[in-house]
Amino acid sequence: MNGRVKRVFANLAEEVDAILLINDAEPNIDQSFFYVTGLESGLFEGCFVILWPDGSLDLFSSKLEETSARSVFEGVRIFDKAADRERMLRESLKGVKRLGLNGAAITLRSLREIKKAVPEIEEVDVWKALERARLVKDDDEIARIREACKIASDVAEEIPDFLTTGMTEYEAAAEIAYRMQKKGATSPSFDPNASFGANSAEPHHVPTNRKLSRGDCALFDFGAKYRRYCSDITRTFFSGKPNEDLEEMYSIVLEAQKAAIRMMRAGVKAKDIDVCARSIIDATRFRGRFIHSIGHAIGLSVHDGGRIAAEESFALEENMILTVEPGIYVPGIGGIRIEDDVRITASGCELLTTAPKEMMVI
Ligand code: GLY
Ligand code: MN
């Protein structure tokens, strides 16, 4: 993992003597902790790692995670009581003047603990360097995301086989989670979203006991986590022949999604991808009904930084892995979204989620 620590330092806007990544209790676990350590098993609440400019790191773990930590880092230092932990923080940061911290993940409680242990330290927020380092995936990360995408994509392909009228959103979401885990997912990458009929007009709908009826659209947004890495896919189906609005919405979203994917390659500006899809949708009577950005990076987190949005001027780079997910949402009628995950290459992009996406009536 030495190369990853170096990548973080190489992306810094200003120099620091060391970087401290510190976890609080769940859910305040910093995924960058796993990026630099590569630890696959364990939760690591309250644990911390110090990164040094030469690419080395020192890991500090609670007794609870000792087995997982030792399997990768023989030299890990183990703490038991809070006082041990504070002493280790103080001793290991001796001589450090400027300390990098992840402002996007650290809690106020942890920050106060650090200030108590080493009051003289000057803290520097290095969240942007961590995000930039994590945006471009290495071979090991790509292999894991590829598998996470395959699992989710295989389940998406099975939806028409198990979806029936009368099924509730709860049941459909549970079936998706179950099937992903049976295929080797560690867990879903987020709670699966199954939205029927008008509920699909809300992009982050949470499943309910609403039953699927003839004429409904059925939107599924879910992903698998595989060895800590996430995928994210959305497919929208129709139960029986859809009304004309929904059918038209589907063909516009599909056209916008395909156009966006066609232009994705290293060097293209993120904002231009968003503009491309949005201009296709906004040229129709559904103008203004695409109410989120076109995509985001995936990785250790399902929203792994790197939004592809009209305000984002960064250029795509080889081995960034991004979602492409235009949608049209009409309250009271329904929503259509089609989402795939792609890996950017020098000449285009590799589609990692390959489930069919032509309009399908079940
Ligand atoms: N899959 C949920 C989202 O991207 O917001
Ligand atoms: Mn997404």
Side-chain angles (χ1 to χ4, degrees), residues 190 204 221 232 296 303 325 339:
F190 56 95
H204 284 166
D221 184 354
D232 190 4
H296 53 88
H303 290 171
E325 48 179 312
E339 175 179 28

Side-chain angles (χ1 to χ4, degrees), residues 1-294:
M1 295 304 137
N2 192 291
R4 293 189 187 170
V5 176
K6 284 192 173 150
R7 271 186 69 77
V8 174
F9 276 91
N11 277 288
L12 284 174
E14 49 183 318
E15 265 185 41
V16 295
D17 300 316
I19 295 172
L20 170 67
L21 302 176
I22 186 162
N23 294 330
D24 201 322
E26 238 255 318
N28 298 110
I29 305 292
D30 186 349
Q31 294 305 315
S32 291
F33 175 94
F34 297 111
Y35 176 69
V36 293
T37 61
L39 287 161
E40 267 190 63
S41 182
L43 181 55
F44 288 91
E45 285 178 307
C47 301
F48 61 99
V49 63
I50 301 174
L51 317 181
W52 302 103
D54 66 357
S56 65
L57 61 79
D58 290 320
L59 177 64
F60 300 80
S61 169
S62 65
K63 260 185 142 59
L64 181 67
E65 311 286 1
E66 182 169 357
T67 306
S68 296
R70 278 215 195 286
S71 68
V72 181
F73 294 94
E74 192 41 49
V76 58
R77 293 182 57 195
I78 307 297
F79 57 83
D80 188 5
K81 305 260 166 11
D84 278 354
R85 183 170 172 271
E86 188 182 321
R87 179 179 46 77
M88 285 183 187
L89 263 175
R90 196 172 43 251
E91 287 173 4
S92 50
L93 292 175
K94 217 168 165 182
V96 170
K97 292 194 174 59
R98 287 169 59 78
L99 178 65
L101 295 171
N102 186 1
I106 195 169
T107 62
L108 183 56
R109 178 165 64 172
S110 294
L111 183 61
R112 286 187 170 149
E113 281 171 12
I114 297 162
K115 295 280 231 186
K116 182 162 168 252
V118 277
E120 67 285 2
I121 239 154
E122 180 193 346
E123 74 264 18
V124 179
D125 190 355
V126 298
W127 75 271
K128 194 76 196 163
L130 290 159
E131 181 181 284
R132 280 210 213 100
R134 283 171 51 182
L135 263 178
V136 176
K137 271 59 184 181
D138 60 33
D139 290 349
D140 181 57
E141 294 181 290
I142 292 167
R144 295 183 198 201
I145 297 172
R146 195 176 265 131
E147 182 60 22
C149 288
K150 177 172 175 6
I151 292 168
S153 197
D154 286 352
V155 171
E157 217 166 324
E158 292 173 6
I159 292 172
D161 302 335
F162 67 76
L163 187 66
T164 53
T165 51
M167 186 177 243
T168 65
E169 291 172 342
Y170 289 143
E171 287 173 299
E175 187 67 37
I176 285 170
Y178 174 72
R179 287 179 184 239
M180 287 196 294
Q181 214 147 340
K182 286 258 282 187
K183 290 179 193 298
T186 328
S187 67
S189 52
F190 56 95
D191 292 338
N193 168 1
S195 310
F196 299 161
N199 287 348
S200 57
E202 190 189 353
H204 284 166
H205 174 69
V206 175
T208 67
N209 61 1
R210 188 198 194 283
K211 291 184 170 153
L212 185 69
S213 304
R214 301 282 295 170
D216 278 347
C217 58
L219 183 154
F220 301 92
D221 184 354
F222 58 95
K225 193 174 273 193
Y226 177 74
R227 296 174 63 200
R228 291 207 193 273
Y229 280 80
C230 300
S231 58
D232 190 4
I233 185 171
T234 305
R235 288 292 183 267
T236 310
F237 301 93
F238 295 106
S239 167
K241 184 158 170 47
N243 75 34
E244 278 169 17
D245 287 334
L246 288 167
E247 197 167 340
E248 189 181 343
M249 284 156 65
Y250 196 98
S251 69
I252 296 165
V253 170
L254 185 58
E255 183 194 340
Q257 205 241 15
K258 286 182 173 172
I261 289 176
R262 268 197 306 274
M263 72 178 289
M264 293 180 88
R265 66 170 179 284
V268 170
K269 292 231 160 53
K271 65 178 175 196
D272 293 339
I273 314 284
D274 188 278
V275 167
C276 162
R278 200 168 301 279
S279 60
I280 290 172
I281 292 170
D282 283 350
T284 72
R285 66 193 175 96
F286 299 105
R287 179 182 179 80
R289 306 271 23 123
F290 175 20
I291 54 174
H292 51 74
S293 56
I294 180 89

